[in-house]
Every structure is written in structure tokens, then in C-alpha cells.
Amino acid sequence: MKKALPIGQAAAQSGVQVPTIRYYEQIGLLPSPLRSEGNRRLYSEAEIRRLAFIRHARELGFGVDAIRALLALQDNPQRSCTEADVIARARLADVEHRIASLTALRKVLRRMITACAGGSVSECMVVEMLAENSQLRNPKKG
């Protein structure tokens, strides 16, 4: 086994910020590491790989609970990957929903820009469409 690394070096190798590493320990995604005689955290290669796994899962948009479940699966490699598949499919559904929302948003923005004549603000369709939409969402009571 290679020498355990202090938190700063573990952060550099894993790509995870020091405060984030501490947070992952607090919420149980990362076990409490060994401590030096001076009570400094020391991380093994396996813990650094786990941090990199967590970082990559976060980059893909997985939430803490999903990551916790994926780590549990990783810790038990003999288990079926069905649960991992379910988790990944749920994340994909979230991404596809977000893409659909962003596509709709893009259409609205393009319509607003196309409708803008480039004249004065009193004739600006961007401002007018935003004002109309805000009134629909916040109708005056009276």
C-alpha cells in the first residue's frame, strides 16, 4: 500500500475541494479517514478513488442519495447492476426533461428576439412579452 496522503494532496489528486471532502465525511459518503499522530486526516488510494467517483457522479448531476446508493453498489460488486441501471435511467429522465424545458425556453426567446423591431423601448416586443408574462403569473387582486 502506498503512503496515505493528507487532505490537501487528496484534494489535488481527486479534484475535490478540501471543504467538500469534509462535507462528504460529515454526510457519510466518505468514511472518516485514518488520522496521523498530529490528528491530521490521511487518505488511502481507495478513499481518493472514492472521492473521484463522487466528483464524477456530481458532474453528471446525480444527487447525494443516488450517489450513496451507487457507492453502496460499488462496495458490493457481486450485486446485480439493476439498481444502478434504475438510478441512471432516472437521471437520464431528469436530463431529458430539462432539455425539453430548455428547448421550449429557446423557442420563446427566439420569438421574442424575432419580434423585436429594434426601435424604441415603447415598441420593444422583448419588454412587452416579459411584462405580459409577469402579469399572467402575478395578476392584480382587486
Side-chain angles (χ1 to χ4, degrees):
M1 179 177 149
K2 289 187 178 179
K3 181 181 172 188
L5 299 177
I7 196 167
Q9 289 178 8
Q13 281 197 13
S14 66
V16 178
Q17 299 280 330
V18 170
T20 306
I21 293 174
R22 291 186 186 119
Y23 172 71
Y24 290 158
E25 289 172 20
Q26 288 173 353
I27 64 172
L29 289 182
L30 187 68
S32 295
L34 295 174
R35 298 278 183 154
S36 69
E37 288 182 20
N39 203 31
R40 293 180 61 188
R41 293 173 165 91
L42 297 174
Y43 296 87
S44 67
E45 279 186 55
E47 289 164 329
I48 292 168
R49 281 193 306 273
R50 189 175 183 96
L51 282 168
F53 178 98
I54 296 167
R55 178 187 48 77
H56 190 217
R58 293 295 296 150
E59 288 171 350
L60 293 173
F62 287 99
V64 171
D65 290 337
I67 294 171
R68 190 180 316 280
L70 291 167
L71 286 168
L73 290 169
Q74 185 184 45
D75 292 343
N76 297 289
Q78 73 285 358
R79 289 177 52 188
S80 167
C81 70
T82 302
E83 189 178 345
D85 184 59
V86 168
I87 293 167
R89 285 178 187 275
R91 179 66 191 127
L92 177 59
D94 291 343
V95 168
E96 288 173 343
H97 176 73
R98 180 77 173 140
I99 289 170
S101 294
L102 288 171
T103 300
L105 174 61
R106 179 176 60 195
K107 287 178 184 178
V108 169
L109 289 171
R110 282 183 174 163
R111 264 197 320 264
M112 288 171 64
I113 291 166
T114 301
C116 184
S120 67
V121 172
S122 64
E123 300 167 343
C124 181
M125 292 306 295
V126 172
V127 173
E128 186 177 321
M129 290 176 87
L130 288 170
E132 285 176 8
N133 217 4
S134 69
Q135 289 174 355
L136 292 175
R137 293 184 188 273
N138 301 311
K140 292 181 181 178
K141 295 180 181 177

